[in-house]
Amino acid sequence: MKHVSNQQVADHLKRLNPWWTGAGADEELAKLRPRAYLEPVHQLLLEPGLRRAVVLLGPRRVGKTILIRHLIIRLLADGVAAQRIAYVEMDHPLLHGQSLEALVRLIEEIAPEGEGTRYLFFDEIQSHKDWEKHLKPLVDHRPDLRILVSGSAAAALKRQSTESGAGRFTDFLLPPLTFSEYLDLRPEPAAIFEEEPGTYMLEDVERLNEQFVDYVNFGGYPELALSPLVRSNPARFVKSDIVDKVLLRDLPQLYGIQDIQELNALFTLLAFNTSEEVSFEQLSQCSGVSKLTIQKYIEYLEAAFLIQRVFRIDQDGKRYQRSRSFKVYLTNSAMYTGLFGVRKPDEPEFGHLVETALFAQRFHEDARLNYARWGASDYEVDWVESSLALKPVAALEIKWSDKNLGRADSLKGLIKFASKNRLPVVWATTRSQFGTTTIDGSKIRQWPAAVLAFSYGVRAVRGRLAGYEAQVKGVVEAD
């Protein structure tokens, strides 16, 4: 019986790394504008005092492999010797059964390049059994290696990294495209841009709304946002290439789920109700599945970054101890398009997709987001952000309409919550109008939803960069 030889593996690695022989980086890829998150990942990878491997997490098809390729292009442009950079697709059949240690040794034999740091990128790392156990010794005993691993089975990576990589791995969650990134990547000029940090220049709100509607329907995935061919059949791209692979392969393998149809039906129900309040009782009645099983399924879907829950608080900003209700959000509004079709801006469902799109700008942050609902009159606030001390510090009501501009009667919940918690400024969105109103001592700022989405996206990238700089500093000082 024939076995894969070291020479066959070596030849494959040479094909994956054409820059070893002077071919340079992918010229077509180099023409594509990289994602804004390239910079914080680049800084994590290069930080000499951070003796950790970077675990690049994220939903399927958000551009993890492309980001790795852009990292390689950046390293080459910075003058790193080509033979000190290696990219490995761990799911290739020739590499089945190969240990990480053996691959590192083979790479060093094929591409020797004196002393110094070597950069290793292991893509689709979930294909390697017990990858985290093999990665830890490399982190511990090879300070000359800087390693980044990534993969499509986000739930598996997250769990294995957390359980086995404490102190050795740093997770970085790559979210779906933010609205600001989407505008930056699209060929047509954006109708809004940042003049300087925190200052935005809006050129045409109607054109911006057209771009925002497009983003809500198609924008979360780079391929769906940029490829007319993929966009012509979003159902095939989203359902077949993303949702089904997670529901039919990733989660069953990781958690031993037996009834795939049951899980799929629950996810479809949750997706259809994105940005709505639901309860375990309602979901159980609609699906015929026990509440305990539904709770487990939802935890799995959150681990795979398909959905996210937001929990209910009262008018004082405190969690309900016995509440079984919560809001559910798709982490990417384009998933709704793939499952249920494109929605036009005047359709009733579009307001829920606007709220979902706004949530997509923030779900990967550490922000403590809840929603408030209380009283016999069911006063509501769509989002409340809390401090570390669990005190409300910000509140937002999301509307896809200009009818509420300056109208206290349409923002009663927001006004009562602001007054009760002494919030000097709260926010509400509109469709295309700006306004500021002061009621009961609280200033209500109203911005178009698209402008706020752009602002959130810009701040998210900047915040991640600052956050990881602080994290690196803290780890280095602790060491």
Side-chain angles (χ1 to χ4, degrees):
M1 184 173 67
K2 294 190 296 184
H3 295 279
V4 175
S5 68
N6 277 353
Q7 187 59 51
Q8 288 174 308
V9 175
D11 291 341
H12 174 64
L13 291 175
K14 290 176 184 177
R15 288 192 294 271
L16 285 177
N17 297 270
W19 47 88
W20 288 352
T21 55
D26 187 331
E27 293 184 4
E28 289 302 314
L29 180 62
K31 295 176 184 177
L32 291 177
R33 190 184 297 273
R35 288 200 59 175
Y37 288 91
L38 175 66
E39 188 57 36
V41 178
H42 180 253
Q43 289 201 15
L44 272 181
L45 186 66
L46 264 61
E47 173 54 52
L50 191 64
R51 289 277 300 277
R52 298 187 181 190
V54 178
V55 181
L56 188 61
L57 302 166
R60 285 183 175 271
R61 308 303 284 268
V62 295
K64 296 184 291 294
T65 299
I66 297 297
L67 188 138
I68 290 173
R69 293 290 191 177
H70 275 125
L71 281 169
I72 292 170
I73 291 171
R74 173 77 71 87
L75 292 172
L76 292 170
D78 289 344
V80 176
Q83 291 192 317
R84 302 204 68 79
I85 303 170
Y87 171 79
V88 184
E89 289 177 340
M90 295 299 294
D91 60 345
H92 194 279
L94 285 173
L95 301 186
H96 288 175
Q98 295 284 337
S99 70
L100 290 182
E101 297 88 341
L103 284 171
V104 171
R105 287 196 299 270
L106 188 56
I107 288 168
E108 290 175 327
E109 291 174 11
I110 301 169
E113 183 64 35
E115 300 295 326
T117 303
R118 187 180 291 273
Y119 299 90
L120 303 177
F121 300 91
F122 296 106
D123 202 4
E124 300 297 343
I125 192 67
Q126 78 279 350
S127 303
H128 185 72
K129 183 176 173 59
D130 296 327
W131 63 269
E132 71 284 3
K133 296 177 183 177
H134 294 268
L135 184 57
K136 283 195 296 185
L138 291 175
V139 174
D140 288 340
H141 305 303
R142 292 293 305 271
D144 59 316
L145 301 180
R146 301 297 297 165
I147 303 173
L148 182 148
V149 303
S150 74
S152 299
L157 288 183
K158 177 67 175 174
R159 190 174 81 170
Q160 291 164 316
S161 173
T162 301
E163 291 177 353
S164 302
R168 296 177 179 88
F169 306 160
T170 293
D171 293 345
F172 189 100
L173 173 57
L174 185 67
L177 283 180
T178 63
F179 184 42
S180 58
E181 286 185 292
Y182 168 81
L183 292 176
D184 194 41
L185 293 176
R186 292 287 298 171
E188 67 273 7
I192 190 173
F193 59 91
E194 188 178 36
E195 275 195 319
E196 56 186 58
T199 302
Y200 310 109
M201 179 60 70
L202 175 60
E203 295 184 338
D204 183 342
V205 70
E206 294 304 323
R207 186 160 64 88
L208 180 66
N209 275 342
E210 291 175 3
Q211 294 172 332
F212 184 58
V213 169
D214 198 68
Y215 169 78
V216 168
N217 278 306
F218 301 109
Y221 301 106
E223 288 170 273
L224 194 57
L226 300 174
S227 170
L229 181 62
V230 174
R231 185 179 291 212
S232 67
N233 191 352
R236 178 180 180 183
F237 175 78
V238 172
K239 194 170 189 316
S240 300
D241 289 1
I242 299 170
V243 175
D244 282 355
K245 285 182 179 177
V246 175
L247 298 182
L248 300 180
R249 186 172 70 186
D250 296 349
L251 293 180
Q253 287 180 354
L254 181 61
Y255 296 107
I257 295 171
Q258 300 297 320
D259 196 333
I260 307 302
Q261 287 185 327
E262 192 174 76
L263 175 65
N264 191 24
L266 176 66
F267 173 70
T268 302
L269 180 62
L270 293 170
F272 191 71
N273 286 278
T274 184
S275 85
E276 295 272 19
E277 185 183 56
V278 297
S279 68
F280 290 120
E281 289 78 8
Q282 291 172 328
L283 294 171
S284 180
Q285 290 173 4
C286 290
S287 64
V289 181
S290 73
K291 288 183 283 188
L292 182 60
T293 300
I294 287 174
Q295 187 166 359
K296 290 180 180 179
Y297 283 168
I298 287 176
E299 290 172 0
Y300 302 157
L301 294 170
E302 285 186 313
F305 304 117
L306 290 178
I307 66 166
Q308 188 78 29
R309 281 176 292 178
V310 172
F311 296 98
R312 180 183 170 191
I313 58 175
D314 63 18
Q315 60 184 326
D316 297 311
K318 297 179 180 178
R319 284 273 298 271
Y320 287 90
Q321 296 300 315
R322 297 182 179 179
S323 176
R324 306 299 288 172
S325 298
F326 52 90
K327 270 190 173 185
V328 63
Y329 290 96
L330 290 169
T331 57
N332 184 345
S333 59
M335 266 192 279
Y336 189 98
T337 303
L339 293 170
F340 307 112
V342 174
R343 288 295 177 267
K344 296 179 180 179
D346 293 319
E347 293 186 72
E349 299 93 342
F350 198 79
H352 295 298
L353 297 183
V354 168
E355 187 172 337
T356 301
L358 282 166
F359 181 78
Q361 316 303 302
R362 305 206 63 190
F363 93 92
H364 58 291
E365 298 178 356
D366 293 328
R368 293 165 179 80
L369 292 179
N370 297 286
Y371 71 100
R373 186 166 64 80
W374 72 95
S377 301
D378 274 348
Y379 291 111
E380 294 185 20
V381 180
D382 287 327
W383 290 359
V384 175
E385 186 170 349
S386 302
S387 66
L388 287 172
L390 303 181
K391 295 292 185 182
V393 295
L396 170 68
E397 185 68 19
I398 301 169
K399 306 286 188 183
W400 180 242
S401 170
D402 292 329
K403 295 179 181 179
N404 309 292
L405 188 68
R407 287 180 52 188
D409 60 322
S410 65
L411 300 171
K412 290 186 293 187
L414 182 65
I415 293 167
K416 283 186 173 291
F417 190 87
S419 177
K420 176 71 174 177
N421 294 280
R422 298 181 180 179
L423 298 178
V425 180
V426 291
W427 292 79
T429 66
T430 65
R431 184 160 173 169
S432 60
Q433 298 293 316
F434 291 87
T436 300
T437 307
T438 300
I439 302 175
D440 293 341
S442 295
K443 184 181 292 184
I444 302 172
R445 289 181 176 167
Q446 293 179 272
W447 279 16
V451 176
L452 197 61
F454 177 83
S455 171
Y456 280 158
V458 170
R459 286 164 44 197
V461 176
R462 188 173 294 128
R464 291 287 290 282
L465 184 56
Y468 280 100
E469 286 175 346
Q471 178 182 338
V472 167
K473 182 180 179 182
V475 171
V476 171
E477 289 177 349
D479 291 343

